[in-house]
Amino acid sequence: MHGWVDASFAVHPDYRSHTGAVLSLGKGGVISVSRKQRLNTKSSTEAEVVGVDDASSQILWTNYFIKAQGYQINETLVYQDNQSAILLEKNGKQSSGKRTRHMNI
């Protein structure tokens, strides 16, 4: 299973960000999610991290559901395009800058 997650920073009138995600099995998308984030974020990096967190619950639920139906999933990969968020998710606080030190990862 593969998931693609993206976020747009502060695009709503109340300065909240927006998250979109697509899950695929094989060659086609099976689930798509698009929603306004519940938190106000301070940077595009933070918006991307919140987006991955929001999409993770849907990805996990789908993974468990498919396994409960008797199918085997070898791996679940999540892709995103923000390099700062990727470093923060990999290394945690070690790769934090001034704008992300307030985040608890």
Side-chain angles (χ1 to χ4, degrees), residues 63-101:
N63 198 343
Y64 293 141
F65 178 77
I66 291 170
K67 286 181 179 177
Q69 303 307 309
Y71 295 99
Q72 182 180 3
I73 296 177
N74 296 330
E75 63 182 0
T76 302
L77 299 173
V78 178
Y79 301 99
Q80 69 149 311
D81 60 352
N82 186 299
Q83 293 300 314
S84 296
I86 291 169
L87 283 173
L88 192 59
E89 290 160 359
K90 276 185 179 177
N91 304 325
K93 291 286 187 180
Q94 296 167 349
S95 61
S96 294
K98 283 184 177 181
R99 301 190 78 187
T100 56
R101 287 192 183 141

Side-chain angles (χ1 to χ4, degrees), residues 4-81:
W4 288 268
V5 180
D6 198 16
S8 296
F9 174 61
V11 294
H12 291 283
D14 58 355
Y15 298 105
R16 292 206 180 170
S17 301
H18 201 91
T19 297
V22 175
L23 298 176
S24 73
L25 288 170
K27 295 182 179 182
V30 292
I31 294 177
S32 64
V33 178
S34 178
R35 68 174 72 118
K36 185 177 180 179
Q37 291 182 355
R38 290 180 231 125
L39 303 171
N40 280 346
T41 54
K42 296 181 179 184
S43 67
S44 60
T45 299
E46 187 177 356
E48 293 280 348
V49 171
V50 169
V52 169
D53 182 62
D54 285 348
S56 293
S57 60
Q58 182 70 44
I59 292 168
L60 284 173
W61 184 89
T62 304
N63 198 343
Y64 293 141
F65 178 77
I66 291 170
K67 286 181 179 177
Q69 303 307 309
Y71 295 99
Q72 182 180 3
I73 296 177
N74 296 330
E75 63 182 0
T76 302
L77 299 173
V78 178
Y79 301 99
Q80 69 149 311
D81 60 352

